[in-house]
Amino acid sequence: PNMGVPVWPFSSLGWSAPAQPLPAAPITREDTAEILFTSGATAEPKGVIIQHKNILANVIPVHREMQKYKKYAKPFQPIRFLNLLPLSHMFGQAMATFIPPMLPGVVVFMRGYNPHEIVRQIHSRRISVLVCVPKILDVLREYVLKEAPEAAEAPPAGTHWAKRWWIYRRVHRLLGWKFWAFIVGAAPLPPELEEFWSRLGFVVIQGYGLTETAPIVTLNHPFHTRKGSVGKPIAGVEVKISEDGEILVRGDNVTSGYLNPDAESAKAFEDGWFRTGDIGALDEAGRLSIRGRKKEMIVTADGLNVFPEDVEGVLNKTAGVRDSAVIGVTQDGRERVHAVVVLSDGADPDQIVRSANSQLEDHQRVRSFSVWPTGELPRTEGTRKLKRRELRAWVLGAATGPAKGASSDDVESVVAQYAPGRIVTAETTMEELGLSSLERVELLMALERRFGVTVDEGAYAACGSVGDLKRLIVEPAIEGSAAVPAPAELVDFPTWNRSKWAYAIRRVNLPLWLLPLARVFTWVRAEGREHLEGLQGPVIFAPNHQSHLDVPALMHGLPGEWRYRIAPAMSKEFFKAHFYPEQHSVGDRFTNSLNYYLSALVFNAFPFPQREAGARQTLR
């Protein structure tokens, strides 16, 4: 990429380049670019060999199409993508490293799937396009309906797009005025979910592909989307449907094979066509639609096919169901439809199944069910696909319990790690643990890692005891535990104090009188300034907290190049009258707010919660 001139990327770390220039590596289209292992959600993981020609077969057709519209995109640049897929996934790679540079675009990554955090990132970073799996659209729909209930009502047929945009203006304000599209892949998108977001005025772009096709097979044109379809094959790719409905693909984008293939893997390639394992159909215009996975399809005793996604769609819309998974279970030599459901508190599973069955065809009806005991259903990390093999093993008794979940004793054992020397019980209060704000954040992250869940930080901060933590982890609701409701906003983070006028005020007042005044009360001797020479930001200075004079003392000690660039953290609880005015008198509110605004202005300080919610969000 650098015309044969090697670049040493670690010079900024102080590492010297090799004495001899690195030779340019000869690369051909047939060379292996990478080997990706499939997630193994339905079978053992397989190493997929991806050659440079496979990636180019995806990139070149998309690039040619983009060139037709590139001039129209200039007023909207840079186009910012929020990518929720890992780079270990081919779809995540394509939407992070292959396609955005063509625009050019900016890619933002984040960890976790908390809807509040996703919406905050979209709004604060002025995201244009969200790249995700269908499950995320479902989670965001629930969040949006809570913030803007009017989104549940469909406008009259034929309503102009501008009027619809005005009706749903609260949703657009929530996500930011620059946000306009979702790019969805890795799993089938339910039609009603696509209809919901399209009705609100957002473009939903579906595609279809696999790791073995590097990854794109078909793609909906952003300006000519067709609901219910995953689009037409990209240039150079052929698609056909076999007699049993399986989708077959041929083209330069198809992998040359698997790493150390077995006899079963070899069956995926037949007469130049790759068997995708998915069931689909082509319409008269050549658009592809996906029904489901061939291996996951349930064949009843009558020879009728049941696609789990169809049944799950009905179950998930039934009141009282938070999530569901459908698998085939063999009983008396016959395969039957079995549902695993995650229920809201107080929901009656028998009534739920009866309600769902009344909306299903005879052959689709649920014949037996299990209630998932704790936490979320097991899903793959990046694409959020159900791990049906684990679910089937659990249903059949091959597993002793859920792959993800918690028990009361487990929660206590994790908490005990952060309270050495204490006996932790359900009655132990959070105050008795004596955790600092950072230790509370560490405990929160440890609980999330241990139990594979995303915990609402507001609900976590509201927990008064370890017993509350148990209910929050073991019996999680969509937005936290019903016993500990979460506040709508966690952090009031100032931005005005980083403006040019605020910086100018600090640059004049700090050296003129504030820092000289502070020297009347402090004696500062700074050592080791030489260690800061050549230091590149961003950086965190973490002094021991001694008094409210820490900040001016630190400013005296720092070199001038850093003195006016730091943003000190100040205790949010110190300004309770400002943040919670309804609990204080007018005089206290005025004095406290004045102190807050002056601290934010002259020291560029920001509120950091010590005991309340928002410590992790503030750190980010």
Side-chain angles (χ1 to χ4, degrees), residues 6 41 146 209 252 263 295 379 408 442 465 472 513 575 579 618:
K146 290 182 179 180
D252 280 348
K295 288 183 178 179
R379 294 179 180 272
S408 299
E442 290 177 1
S465 67
L472 183 64
W513 67 278
F575 302 97
F579 289 105
T618 306

Side-chain angles (χ1 to χ4, degrees), residues 12 71 73 103-104 106 142 157 169-170 177-178 206 291 295 339 409 415 419 453 460 469 541 570 603 613:
S12 61
K71 61 181 178 181
L103 295 169
V106 175
E142 298 300 321
R169 62 190 179 279
R170 277 212 297 175
W177 307 117
K178 196 176 180 185
Q206 284 195 75
R291 292 298 310 276
K295 288 183 178 179
D409 293 340
V415 175
V453 297
Y460 170 75
L469 269 182
F541 296 104
M570 57 182 174
F603 289 112

